[in-house]
Amino acid sequence: MKKKRFLSLGILLTVSLFIWIPLWMMVTSSFMGTQEINEMIGPVFSNENKLATWHFIPDFPTLKPYVELLLDSPNFFVMFWNSCRQVIPGLIGQLFIAVPAAWSFGRYNFKGKKLLFILYIVLMIMPFQVTMVSSYLVLNKFHLLNTDFALILPNIFSTFPVFIMEKFFKSIPKSLIEAAKIDGAGEFKTFFYIGIPMGASGIISAIVLGFLEAWNGIEQPLTFLKDKSLWPLSLYLPDIAKEKLGVAMVASVIAMIPAILIFLFGQKYIEQGIAASGIKE
């Protein structure tokens, strides 16, 4: 048994290196000077017949890339604010649209329920490239292209959070709902005082996953936003030139921090959502 455990641990550690090495390279490169980082990965961005190299720790650590980005790059803060302005309202909107919809799917039986839920699943698994044209035409018809609402509204009506939350609402014991009705609780009180508290894990996990997807979105902003002043932070890095690779790494680190914090906050809820472990009567 011990040998199997050590073998499993060794395999997991080996696999995890493939995840942590790129992160370590990104963080360490954010403390490198322009000359050092260009010497190491410059050949990747040019036609030089050389191999890229890497230092596990910077030879000459410096905070110059951080100073240049945070003090001399106002566009970075504009795009950071654009990301917040486009992502957060969409997540708030999901609470008003997806939560009641998931509660309805999880607790009520109505005609066409299965067919409608299958439609939700189909829409969820469709890649953006499939729905891009239709979404573009709808947004154009309502004159929402090249505005923040071009990203906010599709996020509000996303079907993915409904799929996640429905499992949690469905797992609430029927006896608890019946007891609330006996005590005189109506549909709204049952939803607010039983459904939301007991389905909090599903709600939070859906919001966390929705934040990660929207925060790192690239295709939607590129398709629906023509004005670069509206671009989110996820589109900041492609404009970084070779001479500012250090700044690009710093921007990547800072852009990653909100996603990491949100993920750490909701990690246990995401695990519960994946496991879909229900409450048994």
Side-chain angles (χ1 to χ4, degrees), residues 59-270:
D59 290 338
F60 306 99
T62 176
L63 293 175
K64 183 179 178 181
Y66 282 88
V67 174
E68 185 175 352
L69 179 70
L70 298 177
L71 298 182
D72 299 330
S73 303
N75 287 338
F76 174 80
F77 293 98
V78 172
M79 291 186 170
F80 189 92
W81 167 245
N82 287 343
S83 291
C84 296
R85 192 175 59 191
Q86 294 162 3
V87 172
I88 295 176
L91 298 178
I92 295 175
Q94 287 181 7
L95 296 177
F96 291 95
I97 301 297
V99 176
W103 173 259
S104 299
F105 278 117
R107 303 309 309 177
Y108 299 118
N109 291 319
F110 51 88
K111 190 175 182 180
K113 172 184 173 180
K114 291 184 178 180
L115 181 61
L116 184 58
F117 195 70
I118 290 174
L119 178 61
Y120 265 67
I121 296 176
V122 170
L123 292 174
M124 181 185 68
I125 63 178
M126 278 187 176
F128 173 73
Q129 292 82 356
V130 175
T131 60
M132 178 176 62
V133 176
S134 58
S135 299
Y136 186 93
L137 293 175
V138 171
L139 293 172
N140 184 52
K141 184 68 175 180
F142 287 95
H143 306 286
L144 294 175
L145 287 177
N146 203 34
T147 67
D148 292 330
F149 289 102
L151 300 180
I152 294 173
L153 288 180
N155 193 24
I156 289 177
F157 296 99
S158 173
T159 58
F160 176 72
V162 177
F163 176 78
I164 294 293
M165 298 177 196
E166 184 266 348
K167 298 180 181 299
F168 285 84
F169 289 139
K170 192 174 183 179
S171 67
I172 299 176
K174 292 183 179 179
S175 59
L176 188 61
I177 303 295
E178 293 173 355
K181 291 181 178 180
I182 293 174
D183 289 339
E187 297 295 337
F188 286 103
K189 282 190 175 181
T190 303
F191 172 62
F192 282 108
Y193 293 103
I194 295 179
I196 291 180
M198 298 198 68
S201 296
I203 296 172
I204 294 175
S205 62
I207 293 299
V208 171
L209 293 173
F211 175 87
L212 296 177
E213 180 182 4
W215 186 263
N216 297 312
I218 294 179
E219 293 176 324
Q220 293 88 340
L222 279 176
T223 304
F224 301 143
L225 301 178
K226 298 179 181 179
D227 191 350
K228 289 189 176 182
S229 63
L230 296 174
W231 279 11
L233 189 58
S234 57
L235 298 183
Y236 178 77
L237 298 180
D239 281 348
I240 296 294
K242 175 187 174 183
E243 293 75 17
K244 293 188 176 182
L245 290 177
V247 176
M249 295 302 177
V250 175
S252 300
V253 171
I254 296 177
M256 184 177 60
I257 291 175
I260 290 178
L261 294 177
I262 292 293
F263 176 79
L264 292 177
F265 168 75
Q267 182 179 6
K268 65 177 182 179
Y269 301 108
I270 295 176

Side-chain angles (χ1 to χ4, degrees), residues 21-72:
I21 287 177
L23 295 177
W24 178 258
M25 293 173 63
M26 181 176 64
V27 173
T28 54
S29 62
S30 67
F31 294 98
M32 294 181 181
T34 303
Q35 182 177 354
E36 183 178 4
I37 194 172
N38 283 337
E39 288 178 355
M40 290 189 301
I41 61 176
V44 176
F45 299 91
S46 61
N47 295 323
E48 299 178 17
N49 190 19
K50 296 180 181 179
L51 295 177
T53 59
W54 199 260
H55 299 161
F56 187 75
I57 298 177
D59 290 338
F60 306 99
T62 176
L63 293 175
K64 183 179 178 181
Y66 282 88
V67 174
E68 185 175 352
L69 179 70
L70 298 177
L71 298 182
D72 299 330

